[in-house]
Amino acid sequence: MRSDNFLESSITGILETTQDWLAEFGGILMFLGSFIYWTSKPPYRVREIFRQMDFVGVQSGMLIVMTGAFTGMVSALQGYNGMSRYGAGSLVGATTALALARELGPVLTGLMVVGRVGSAMTAELGSMRNTQQIDAISSMAVAPIQYLVSPRIIATTLTLPFLSVVFGFSGMVGAYIISTEYLHIDAGAFMSGIKDYMTPNDVTQGLIKAFVFGFILSLVACFKGYNASGGSRGVGVATTKSVVLSSVLILFSDYVMTTIMF
Amino acid sequence: MIQVDNVQKRFAEQEVLRGVSFEVKQGSITTLIGRSGAGKSLLLRHLIGLDQPDSGRILIDGTDIVGMRTSELNGIRRRFGVLFQDGALFDSMSVRDNVAFPLREHTKLSEKEILDKAAQKLELVGLLSHGSKYPSELSGGMRKRVGLARALALGPDLVFFDEPTSGLDPITRGAIYRLIESTHIDGEITYFLVSHDITGVMAISDEVIMLHQGRIVAQGTPEGFRTNPDPVVQQFLLGSPDGPIAID
Ligand SMILES: Nc1ncnc2c1ncn2[C@@H]1O[C@H](COP(=O)(O)OP(=O)(O)OP(=O)(O)O)[C@@H](O)[C@H]1O
Ligand SMILES: [Mg+2]
């Protein structure tokens, strides 16, 4: 009897969750549709885009440099630890470069930007929604999607590849310092390893990933904020969900893209 | 000007608007009164196209705006000015930029002309010296006045005011009524107000409408309202806790 109830309630639970997910997915698709519609229509808010690029890019610079450097240093240490076991320790420059360009740069930049920028976007738009500021924009015959959402998504999507390059470069500087100063690898060997093994394609793949991650995280952040309801608590919930969903989608799409571009 | 025809709206179990019909005459000052929670702000949102009714029609100059595409609706909204009940100021912008916002969006004026015009509107509401403050640095009544300046910035020919004088001191309230009367042009500009201030609105309105339990229970001139025999209307005007309207 009890197990019957348990089974029943878990099944309805699963069904409801599935339904919620589908509704959410549909909501995001519709939101994407109106983003495309309004972005294609003038006026093109170039000034707003630059303002957002400053927020997403310039103001994240230090964070990305720091996290990039530490990631590069750790990658060099761990890579050396593994590769020196079969005598390939001097190739640590090449492997770190490949890892940073193809994977760590875009993914970690994406996740860091989710935390710093995506959350802020959701919270800001959510609070604008709850204090009727978005309604005020509509009432003044301005399309809020065009005014608020388009610049944020465009700016984030265009900026993330740059941040990913900064991340990768900082990582390589960190890796270089660790390799030459601490692991005593010859600087020439470190550099030539990179030159011999890294191809432009590795960099391109990373840039494509970063571009897609930027789009996903800003789309989710704006969607969650734009549709936030229920006062301050609602904004808090929306922000948490935005960060979780963006992070999951970044890792998921990373897998998909890696499979396709392998 | 505005024709509302049998508008209904419900939220889950709660039927807020149960078939609201009325008309606002071109060029008039018309005021909607009714108890707190009667659905006045909600009705106003419908008139601006921010909310969609479950059924019914809303005509602005003969055009039904229910279900209209946003891009089309924006053509009509361009003539609107809206003062929200809580101001709805942009908190990331200074007071001056708030008032300048509609001018920047919809006029081709130079930056200097825009700032001049914004300053002029701020002077109208007595806030010229507060232009560089941010909404979070203002009192509630000041925010309301900034909202008013923003609503009037473009010289709209249809303005919705949701409680323009609530939370203001008596002198500012008087000044706001004077501002409303002086900016209003009979026969040309239509003002639609929501207010709880019976004495004030009776003095400035051409027409008064009362919303009660989801329907319009009375509409007419202020004089006609005073002499309206309906006990519901009389209890409301007198503000008496005793009568047909129960306090829930
Ligand atoms: N989004 C919504 N979801 C659920 N209920 C709502 C929503 N918006 C309004 N309501 C309900 O509709 C009713 C009318 O609200 P409204 O804000 O229009 O009242 P009002 O007449 O403007 O009151 P006041 O004079 O206090 O401003 C309220 O009971 C409110 O709970
Ligand atoms: Mg209200």
Side-chain angles (χ1 to χ4, degrees):
Chain A
M1 191 68 208
R2 248 189 95 215
S3 75
D4 259 12
N5 273 340
F6 176 73
L7 196 68
E8 206 179 294
S9 71
S10 11
I11 287 175
T12 42
I14 290 168
L15 282 178
E16 272 167 18
T17 318
T18 316
Q19 219 170 27
D20 288 351
W21 273 87
L22 285 177
E24 174 110 340
F25 186 64
I28 293 183
L29 281 187
M30 301 238 305
F31 190 73
L32 174 63
S34 54
F35 160 73
I36 292 169
Y37 174 78
W38 285 110
T39 306
S40 66
K41 283 177 83 132
Y44 307 109
R45 301 180 180 274
V46 181
R47 242 180 55 175
E48 269 302 299
I49 294 177
F50 278 114
R51 226 171 55 88
Q52 291 299 329
M53 281 181 148
D54 176 63
F55 174 63
V56 179
V58 180
Q59 294 180 40
S60 302
M62 205 55 215
L63 174 76
I64 295 300
V65 168
M66 299 284 288
T67 45
F70 286 123
T71 307
M73 282 147 76
V74 168
S75 305
L77 284 174
Q78 297 282 32
Y80 181 80
N81 184 307
M83 292 191 304
S84 61
R85 294 178 200 190
Y86 45 89
S90 63
L91 280 180
V92 71
T95 48
T96 308
L98 284 178
L100 280 171
R102 295 174 61 108
E103 192 63 38
L104 296 176
V107 171
L108 290 180
T109 304
L111 294 178
M112 294 311 292
V113 172
V114 165
R116 201 195 84 83
V117 174
S119 58
M121 280 181 182
T122 306
E124 186 182 10
L125 293 184
S127 115
M128 290 186 79
R129 164 65 73 200
N130 277 290
T131 52
Q132 297 193 313
Q133 293 178 56
I134 295 184
D135 291 333
I137 293 177
S138 298
S139 80
M140 288 186 261
V142 173
I145 297 268
Q146 190 181 57
Y147 182 77
L148 296 171
V149 174
S150 300
R152 283 173 168 76
I153 294 183
I154 293 174
T156 312
T157 310
L158 294 181
T159 309
L160 221 75
F162 283 98
L163 287 176
S164 172
V165 168
V166 171
F167 188 101
F169 186 77
S170 315
M172 283 321 291
V173 172
Y176 180 85
I177 292 170
I178 287 288
S179 304
T180 54
E181 299 296 318
Y182 182 75
L183 301 173
H184 304 296
I185 293 171
D186 178 52
F190 184 92
M191 297 307 278
S192 69
I194 300 173
K195 252 204 325 250
D196 291 347
Y197 290 103
M198 191 136 130
T199 66
N201 183 38
D202 297 317
V203 179
T204 316
Q205 283 197 16
L207 291 180
I208 292 173
K209 281 184 175 178
F211 186 86
V212 173
F213 297 160
F215 181 73
I216 289 175
L217 82 89
S218 52
L219 181 74
V220 170
C222 290
F223 170 75
K224 285 291 181 188
Y226 196 80
N227 294 302
S229 61
S232 327
R233 200 170 155 271
V235 175
V237 171
T239 307
T240 307
K241 285 189 171 172
S242 155
V243 168
V244 172
L245 184 60
S246 312
S247 307
V248 170
L249 285 181
I250 283 180
L251 295 173
F252 172 72
S253 62
D254 181 43
Y255 170 72
V256 173
M257 284 190 284
T258 307
T259 322
I260 293 171
M261 300 190 292
F262 198 67
Chain B
M1 180 93 245
I2 307 174
Q3 277 165 288
V4 178
D5 182 17
N6 201 17
V7 162
Q8 306 196 7
K9 181 74 175 181
R10 61 154 61 235
F11 292 106
E13 292 299 286
Q14 189 191 4
E15 264 187 280
V16 185
L17 306 176
R18 318 175 179 216
V20 171
S21 303
F22 64 90
E23 201 171 311
V24 175
K25 292 197 185 76
Q26 159 86 26
S28 67
I29 298 182
T30 300
T31 304
L32 179 67
I33 59 174
R35 293 189 66 195
S36 184
K40 304 181 296 299
S41 298
L42 183 68
L43 182 55
L44 208 98
R45 290 176 59 83
H46 281 76
L47 302 185
I48 311 161
L50 291 175
D51 278 336
Q52 293 292 322
D54 299 332
S55 65
R57 299 187 310 156
I58 296 164
L59 293 93
I60 308 277
D61 276 342
T63 317
D64 193 351
I65 63 162
V66 174
M68 201 182 234
R69 298 168 56 101
T70 315
S71 45
E72 223 177 319
L73 191 56
N74 280 350
I76 294 177
R77 282 172 173 162
R78 241 164 247 242
R79 305 160 43 202
F80 287 5
V82 181
L83 167 65
F84 285 83
Q85 187 164 1
D86 300 314
L89 300 180
F90 304 128
D91 47 25
S92 62
M93 291 183 201
S94 69
V95 163
R96 189 180 298 116
D97 287 336
N98 263 281
V99 180
F101 181 86
L103 299 165
R104 294 210 166 103
E105 288 298 323
H106 296 305
T107 68
K108 296 208 153 42
L109 299 176
S110 71
E111 185 61 16
K112 187 185 172 309
E113 289 169 309
I114 286 175
L115 291 179
D116 281 351
K117 211 158 186 176
Q120 184 201 330
K121 297 294 168 191
L122 281 175
E123 188 162 26
L124 223 50
V125 295
L127 289 174
L128 186 53
S129 56
H130 299 274
S132 35
K133 285 194 177 165
Y134 281 80
S136 61
E137 300 163 342
L138 301 179
S139 77
M142 287 159 88
R143 256 177 247 154
K144 186 140 268 182
R145 285 186 281 155
V146 176
L148 200 60
R150 187 176 70 180
L152 296 174
L154 276 175
D157 59 14
L158 174 54
V159 189
F160 300 93
F161 304 90
D162 198 345
E163 307 203 2
T165 60
S166 67
L168 299 183
D169 66 88
I171 295 173
T172 313
R173 193 190 315 148
I176 294 300
Y177 280 131
R178 184 181 290 168
L179 175 68
I180 289 177
E181 280 193 296
S182 65
T183 51
H184 180 256
I185 304 174
D186 264 340
E188 281 180 34
I189 299 181
T190 311
Y191 281 179
F192 186 81
L193 282 72
V194 168
S195 182
H196 287 302
D197 174 25
I198 298 291
T199 337
V201 302
M202 286 297 192
I204 67 158
S205 307
D206 301 310
E207 291 252 348
V208 181
I209 303 173
M210 181 166 166
L211 178 66
H212 183 63
Q213 291 182 339
R215 290 193 181 83
I216 302 299
V217 292
Q219 166 158 25
T221 60
E223 203 36 54
F225 244 78
R226 274 195 205 96
T227 54
N228 192 317
D230 187 340
V232 169
V233 175
Q234 286 309 319
Q235 186 191 349
F236 192 81
L237 293 187
L238 292 172
S240 158
D242 306 312
I245 307 178
I247 297 154
D248 40 32

